[in-house]
Amino acid sequence: MTFKTTRMTRRQSAKTLFAGALAFSMTAGASFAEGNADVMIGFTPKFLKDDFQTLMLDLSKKAFDAKGFTLVGAPDPNGDIAAQVDALTNLMANGANVIVFAPLDAAGIVPVVQKANEAGVLVFSIDDSPAGGKVTATVRADNVDAGAQGAKEMAKRLAAHPCSADDSCIVLELQGALTTPNGLDRSDGFAKTLAELAPKVQIIQRPTEWTADMAADAAQNVLTQNPNLAGIFMASELMATAINAQLNAAGKGAAVGDEGAVIRIAIDGTPQGLQLIRDKALDATVSQPLSAYASKTAELIELVHGGGVIELGPRDDGQVIDTPVGPQYQLNATLVTLENVDSPDLWANQVGK
């Protein structure tokens, strides 16, 4: 297995080549004997009350088993950051020399990350990064690119919309929480890319804090003021059902492809979102690379276990960038439309399999 360093992307500084090796050296204090069975993993999801987290745990167990790692435990913190910190602390006390987690709170997880650093335990964070301490690696989606993919699809569909004839297209962007990396990155990718591809489109941005209620209120207000709204971009599919209800109430609930339909594009790729695409109640979504979260994390654990360094730079499946807490492997997401909604590679189509 090789990880070749190549040309840096625009978002990386000239210091990143050294930073990857530095992050490794600061976290790779664990001593492993020959053989992957000596890789003792303690894992915690955020909770086990949705398909995403449940499948992440299931796929992670399979990926760890395939590599021959030993799973010390995978307790459910049930959405409680204090319980997550305690669980990881206990897992290390029970022999875990690698901890893997989806952090419930970026700041709240820091104490256990620092304990792991002090103990020479390797730290892998999935879907988001801690706010402090040092990680061996974070594995998450390239959320800027996910937003950009949504913008490209929006621009493509707007080109066939009647509003493009007189440059009157208006698009509502329902942002996630702008206090979170995912919220900021998705908005940045969408707004900048749409402005580049369709500079005459008016973008109305409204924050939602990831809540369907705030999204519905924003959509209702914007629809009242702009009855000819051409498109809506949602930072998360959790808003989609509420948005469709507002469109129906405003007499704008035409099915995808029908005359007068408002273009609707989202991010996440949940089972519910894919069904909305099949029902022609959502034009497209950008599916998170959940299936790759598990396999990539296992791959990186094996790399570091074998004495390798997680180097920075572009990859076929994404890119590795430098962050203040260590290297971050950003995986490419997948645009989903009616044409590929039933692909078995999409994580939502793997639920229950």
Side-chain angles (χ1 to χ4, degrees):
M1 183 187 307
T2 59
F3 280 70
K4 183 180 179 181
T5 303
T6 54
R7 177 178 55 86
M8 297 293 101
T9 64
R10 290 182 302 170
R11 285 180 281 169
Q12 298 167 348
S13 71
K15 297 183 292 183
T16 55
L17 286 173
F18 172 72
L22 177 63
F24 168 75
S25 67
M26 295 181 70
T27 58
S31 176
F32 295 117
E34 289 295 320
N36 283 348
D38 289 339
V39 178
M40 310 290 287
I41 297 179
F43 181 93
T44 62
K46 292 182 178 180
F47 38 69
L48 294 177
K49 54 190 176 185
D50 71 12
D51 291 328
F52 188 93
Q53 293 292 322
T54 301
L55 184 61
M56 181 192 295
L57 174 58
D58 182 54
L59 293 175
S60 295
K61 286 180 176 178
K62 292 177 180 177
F64 298 157
D65 185 63
K67 293 291 187 182
F69 302 156
T70 300
L71 184 65
V72 176
D76 175 14
N78 198 28
D80 184 338
I81 182 59
Q84 187 174 43
V85 169
D86 287 345
L88 291 167
T89 300
N90 291 335
L91 288 165
M92 288 190 289
N94 288 327
N97 49 29
V98 180
I99 57 171
V100 183
F101 53 82
L104 276 160
D105 182 273
I109 201 71
V110 171
V112 76
V113 174
Q114 293 173 332
K115 285 182 183 179
N117 295 158
E118 292 167 2
V121 172
L122 304 184
V123 179
F124 289 83
S125 187
I126 298 178
D127 198 35
D128 204 352
S129 294
K134 290 295 178 180
V135 298
T136 311
T138 295
V139 179
R140 66 190 288 255
D142 186 339
N143 282 276
V144 173
D145 182 66
Q149 288 193 58
K152 291 173 185 176
E153 187 66 14
M154 180 67 76
K156 173 183 172 182
R157 293 179 184 250
L158 284 172
H161 194 281
C163 67
S164 63
D166 59 0
D167 296 326
S168 63
C169 297
I170 301 173
V171 170
L172 169 62
E173 180 199 347
L174 294 170
Q175 302 163 308
L178 300 182
T179 55
T180 66
N182 287 355
L184 282 170
D185 287 353
R186 292 178 186 188
S187 181
D188 185 52
F190 177 80
K192 288 184 178 179
T193 303
L194 188 60
E196 291 171 0
L197 296 176
K200 294 184 179 180
V201 171
Q202 179 185 351
I203 305 174
I204 300 173
Q205 296 176 307
R206 294 289 184 270
T208 70
E209 301 301 322
W210 303 116
T211 68
D213 287 345
M214 287 186 68
D217 288 344
Q220 182 183 47
N221 292 335
V222 171
L223 279 166
T224 299
Q225 299 169 13
N226 302 274
N228 294 323
L229 185 70
I232 300 176
F233 172 75
M234 294 163 268
S236 172
E237 285 162 20
L238 64 84
M239 311 172 191
T241 298
I243 295 308
N244 281 333
Q246 290 298 325
L247 290 172
N248 289 332
K252 304 282 287 182
V256 172
D258 289 354
E259 184 178 352
V262 174
I263 301 165
R264 287 151 285 177
I265 296 173
I267 293 180
D268 278 338
T270 63
Q272 296 79 11
L274 267 55
Q275 189 57 47
L276 288 174
I277 292 176
R278 296 183 186 102
D279 294 339
K280 296 188 175 181
L282 186 67
D283 290 67
T285 193
V286 182
S287 177
Q288 295 193 65
L290 173 57
S291 302
Y293 284 169
S295 59
K296 185 58 63 178
T297 300
E299 181 182 321
L300 295 178
I301 292 172
E302 185 174 56
L303 172 71
V304 175
H305 169 223
V309 175
I310 302 171
E311 296 181 347
L312 309 180
R315 300 285 188 276
D316 290 341
D317 58 356
Q319 63 177 345
V320 183
I321 68 167
D322 183 36
T323 77
V325 298
Q328 184 175 112
Y329 204 120
Q330 297 184 340
L331 292 158
N332 294 332
T334 302
L335 180 72
V336 183
T337 65
L338 196 59
E339 284 68 36
N340 66 334
V341 70
D342 293 320
S343 169
D345 294 332
L346 300 174
W347 72 264
N349 291 330
Q350 298 173 12
V351 173
K353 300 296 178 64

